[in-house]
Amino acid sequence: MQSIASHRSVHEEIGPRLPGAIYQNVDGRFEVLVVVTDPAEAAQLLRRDSARWALIVRDTLRPDGQPFAIGSVWTDSDYLLREGSPAYAPAA
């Protein structure tokens, strides 16, 4: 039997987290810097044998928040604070 996650598309798993989006959940408030949809690059970023995608985010609630990679799917406990854009370029 296949899991529910295997039926979801990459787009559904990422949700509205385009570059520039800010979303919040119980773990923090995150700005999406990069969306990686190349499976080999995503696996390397997440240090896994395989991955379909990864996000590079930073926690905006931490003054010293450094970018890091995540692979968690969008759930009902996540909520969008600011929409992103595919053309977003983060400030240097």
Side-chain angles (χ1 to χ4, degrees):
M1 177 178 220
Q2 291 184 326
S3 69
I4 292 172
S6 67
H7 293 291
R8 296 180 77 177
S9 72
V10 168
H11 177 74
E12 289 173 320
E13 290 178 359
I14 293 171
R17 295 177 291 183
L18 294 173
I22 295 179
Y23 71 99
Q24 189 162 341
N25 59 31
V26 296
D27 297 321
R29 183 180 304 150
F30 305 97
E31 178 181 19
V32 178
L33 303 175
V34 179
V35 177
V36 177
T37 55
D38 174 67
E41 186 178 354
Q44 184 177 13
L45 284 168
L46 296 171
R47 297 182 177 98
R48 296 182 185 163
D49 290 336
S50 66
R52 295 178 356 148
W53 57 270
L55 302 177
I56 299 176
V57 300
R58 71 176 183 87
D59 190 340
T60 63
L61 296 177
R62 295 177 182 236
D64 63 342
Q66 296 297 311
F68 61 96
I70 64 164
S72 55
V73 299
W74 182 261
T75 69
D76 291 340
S77 66
D78 298 313
Y79 58 97
L80 195 62
L81 299 173
R82 179 179 80 190
E83 289 187 18
S85 166
Y88 172 79

